Amino acid sequence: MPDQDKIQAVTAEPAAANDEGTEEASPAPEAEGDEGVGPGQQDEYSSNDMGEQAAMAMTGRDPRLTLLWEWQCPLPPSLTLSTRVRVPGVRQDILAVGYGQFEFGPPLSGLVALWSLKNPGYPLWSFPTPSGVTAVDFSVHNPNMLAVGLYDGTLAVHDVKTRQEVPSLSSSAGSGQHSDPVWQVRWVDRGLEQEERLVTISTDGRVTQWATTKGLEHTDLIKLKRTVSKQKVSPAAAAAMRNIKGEAFISRRSSGMSFDFSHRDERMYIAGTEDGHIYKCSTSYSEQYLETYSGHLGPVYRVQWSPFQSNLFISSSADWSVKLWTEGKENALLTFQSANDEVNDVQWCPTNSTVFGTATSGGRIEIWDLAASTLKPIAQHTCEGRMFSCMLFSEESPVVVAGGSNGGIQVLRLLDVDLADDLEAVQTRRLDDAMRANIVKTGVVNVQ
């Protein structure tokens, strides 16, 4: 993902698709054909799947995604785009989108645009950045404050209410600026009595916390270090490891790609790395990992805790797969794979505990439901000739937003998928039932 052009930052949550003042475009025809490659590799468990057709027959549903409209920012033709999206906690009809081009060579500028459902044709406001935008996030308590991570390692904080292009706060070499791209930035809510903390992760190996009361003051939560996997490997891989035994790493620093903080304990977080490992860490310990999770064979682009089951989390990777993990186990519970494409983003649905979505480099937005099938997505949307770099569920309506390599932000309607916002106990029981139905312990560890 770092060497590809894409919409690199989207933060906000769209309101209902038929919100007053908006005009729905005619739905695009549904993409035909679902060339799934069958089940992905199962780590320590195998899947007891009902099958997509059986699930549809039982529910009488026909899940699908249809295109409502696409936001396309008028930009200089020299700027090829990559996007990430994010939504503020108050204005659910506002979407922040970061754009950038990421290539080795001279630094290239980027752009941040704020879109509204009330004007699908043109952004409310946009401002340029000195480097490509790799991440954006709105403050929880002060939703007018937008944190922006850049490809050159800069962290900037903009007050979107003032509409000033110059950031209110910005990191520098003397204030702990990252030396590599900032691949994720997040305001971490610690309650009303404590100040939000701003956290970033970079391929320079640092997970860094920033205080914003007196400028940007940084504290490194951890400097990621490479570890050796304890997993069983194939004979060929073992022979290759013996051949290089004794050679020193070029660098013992591990490159960070993504992170997420636990909903159960604000001190705990997981970090995905370029090596394929995922580490469980604590803000109380800066020199060691609490747990290591192994299984991905490529960079881990996204990790996210389940909003309904505090010990479960999900990850997406360049190795074409999505994996479901639980605390306390090194190997993944389930692996999902529908095609031979990098999975650039994965997001849990905020209103259904068994549903998650993915964005792939093959131009596919896929919706999965653990309660229906672990072999194939229940719905998908395909765009030929582009890659999707990010996606986001709306918290208030059956809408999915996706950013792609052409700089467009597609707004998709999710049809015939149960998104009822039930009580948390009901959601937890639904997820537990799906896990029991689909995961059967075999006692055999598959080589990955």
Side-chain angles (χ1 to χ4, degrees):
M1 188 167 73
D3 60 346
Q4 297 173 337
D5 299 329
K6 49 189 171 294
I7 296 185
Q8 211 33 45
V10 183
T11 175
E13 307 231 295
N18 60 352
D19 196 14
E20 184 178 357
T22 65
E23 180 179 352
E24 292 191 2
S26 299
E30 183 182 2
E32 296 182 357
D34 185 1
E35 298 178 0
V37 296
Q41 305 142 309
Q42 301 297 326
D43 292 272
E44 194 169 346
Y45 297 81
S46 64
S47 171
N48 179 22
D49 195 274
M50 292 188 300
E52 184 181 21
Q53 294 182 350
M56 288 176 57
M58 292 173 63
T59 62
R61 295 178 178 271
D62 180 20
R64 60 195 184 278
L65 286 163
T66 61
L67 178 65
L68 296 179
W69 68 80
E70 180 171 355
W71 284 310
Q72 189 74 52
C73 193
L75 295 168
S78 61
L79 184 60
T80 304
L81 298 179
S82 156
T83 55
R84 282 249 176 260
V85 278
R86 202 71 185 168
V87 184
V90 178
R91 290 289 303 278
Q92 294 291 300
D93 63 326
I94 301 294
L95 191 74
V97 181
Y99 303 84
Q101 183 176 358
F102 313 121
E103 295 179 348
F104 293 105
L108 301 171
S109 62
L111 187 85
V112 174
L114 300 182
W115 293 92
S116 170
L117 292 178
K118 293 179 171 61
N119 185 3
Y122 203 83
L124 293 176
W125 180 53
S126 64
F127 59 88
T129 58
S131 183
V133 179
T134 51
V136 291
D137 195 34
F138 279 107
S139 167
V140 178
H141 297 313
N142 301 293
N144 57 301
M145 303 303 292
L146 178 68
V148 180
L150 302 182
Y151 188 70
D152 65 1
T154 300
L155 170 65
V157 179
H158 290 261
D159 187 346
V160 299
K161 185 182 294 184
T162 64
R163 298 202 175 188
Q164 296 293 321
E165 293 185 1
V166 178
S168 303
L169 300 170
S170 181
S171 63
S172 63
S175 64
Q177 177 173 318
H178 288 286
S179 58
D180 277 355
V182 178
W183 288 115
Q184 189 172 354
V185 58
R186 177 69 57 83
W187 296 90
V188 180
D189 184 11
R190 297 189 291 175
L192 296 176
E193 297 182 358
Q194 298 187 68
E195 180 190 1
E196 282 179 289
R197 58 184 174 203
L198 186 56
V199 180
T200 57
I201 192 169
S202 168
T203 37
D204 65 5
R206 295 162 53 205
V207 181
T208 305
Q209 177 176 302
W210 304 83
T212 59
T213 52
K214 299 179 180 179
L216 282 178
E217 299 177 347
H218 81 286
T219 302
D220 287 336
L221 298 179
I222 199 169
K223 294 182 179 179
L224 299 169
K225 297 179 177 62
R226 295 189 183 190
T227 60
V228 178
S229 175
K230 298 179 182 179
Q231 278 192 302
K232 293 183 179 180
V233 297
S234 65
M241 294 174 65
R242 287 194 295 270
N243 290 337
I244 63 173
K245 186 177 181 179
E247 295 183 9
F249 285 127
I250 295 177
S251 172
R252 292 192 177 273
R253 187 70 56 84
S254 181
S255 299
M257 301 296 297
S258 56
F259 69 91
D260 194 26
F261 275 81
S262 170
H263 308 292
R264 182 184 69 246
D265 187 341
E266 64 181 25
R267 298 169 300 173
M268 301 296 176
Y269 63 96
I270 47 177
T273 67
E274 199 172 42
D275 305 327
H277 295 299
I278 301 172
Y279 301 115
K280 180 183 173 184
C281 310
S282 171
T283 57
S284 302
Y285 304 97
S286 61
E287 297 296 330
Q288 64 185 19
Y289 306 130
L290 301 182
E291 292 179 352
T292 299
Y293 308 96
S294 302
H296 280 301
L297 304 179
V300 180
Y301 292 148
R302 184 69 60 212
V303 290
Q304 189 183 38
W305 292 99
S306 166
F308 299 100
Q309 191 67 278
S310 60
N311 64 326
L312 288 178
F313 64 92
I314 202 165
S315 62
S316 65
S317 171
D319 67 2
W320 311 342
S321 72
V322 170
K323 292 181 183 288
L324 182 65
W325 312 78
T326 185
E327 289 180 288
K329 290 197 74 68
E330 179 185 6
N331 300 318
L333 298 178
L334 284 171
T335 298
F336 308 86
Q337 181 182 341
S338 67
N340 299 339
D341 300 315
E342 295 183 359
V343 186
N344 294 322
D345 198 7
V346 61
Q347 296 286 324
W348 286 104
C349 176
T351 58
N352 188 320
S353 60
T354 62
V355 173
F356 65 89
T358 61
T360 77
S361 60
R364 294 156 64 99
I365 297 297
E366 298 178 339
I367 305 299
W368 295 75
D369 188 349
L370 292 171
S373 174
T374 59
L375 299 181
K376 296 176 66 177
I378 59 171
Q380 70 175 30
H381 170 74
T382 304
C383 283
E384 299 293 339
R386 81 165 68 175
M387 60 165 288
F388 284 113
S389 53
C390 55
M391 61 90 61
L392 191 68
F393 284 96
S394 169
E395 292 186 357
E396 298 183 347
S397 59
V399 168
V400 174
V401 177
S405 56
N406 70 335
I409 302 293
Q410 294 196 346
V411 181
L412 306 168
R413 182 69 178 268
L414 189 55
L415 300 172
D416 267 356
V417 176
D418 183 11
L419 299 179
D421 192 2
D422 296 323
L423 295 175
E424 185 172 350
V426 177
Q427 293 281 6
T428 302
R429 185 166 61 251
R430 177 187 298 156
L431 180 55
D432 289 341
D433 291 344
M435 297 291 289
R436 279 194 293 268
N438 288 301
I439 300 177
V440 178
K441 188 170 183 178
T442 64
V444 177
V445 178
N446 293 335
V447 177
Q448 297 219 17

